[in-house]
């Protein structure tokens, strides 16, 4: 299931990305805007990934401290 979600996201980007870049090239005569959009989307993806990693670490840390308190009694 996870692999399917990953491939679906990749396929969506592979389908939309070139069309969006072509649109910017046709409307402005340059790919510069397409690069900016790609950079912003990459930063957004990195931010979401880091947020989810930190959230998971926090959850595991709180679970570990909760289990330690239960075992002590």
């Amino acid at each position: 299931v996870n692999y399917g979600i990953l491939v679906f996201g990749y396929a969506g980007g592979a389908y939309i990305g070139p069309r969006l870049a072509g649109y910017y090239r046709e409307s402005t005569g340059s790919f510069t805007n397409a690069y900016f959009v790609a950079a912003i989307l990459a930063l957004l993806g990195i931010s979401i990934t880091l947020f989810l990693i930190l959230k998971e670490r926090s959850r595991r840390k709180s679970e570990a401290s909760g289990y330690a308190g239960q075992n002590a009694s």
Side-chain angles (χ1 to χ4, degrees):
V1 172
N2 290 339
Y3 184 72
I5 293 170
L6 179 75
V7 170
F8 180 74
Y10 176 78
Y15 180 78
I16 293 171
R19 284 161 180 73
L20 189 61
Y23 169 76
Y24 283 129
R25 172 72 167 97
E26 291 294 321
S27 63
T28 64
S30 172
F31 284 109
T32 303
N33 287 338
Y35 289 124
F36 284 131
V37 170
I40 289 168
L41 290 174
L43 290 174
L44 178 66
I46 291 168
S47 299
I48 291 170
T49 301
L50 290 176
F51 171 76
L52 292 174
I53 288 170
L54 294 175
K55 184 177 173 183
E56 180 66 18
R57 283 186 184 171
S58 174
R59 185 186 66 80
R60 287 185 182 180
K61 190 179 216 181
S62 66
E63 282 181 358
S65 65
Y67 289 135
Q70 290 176 356
N71 292 335
S73 42

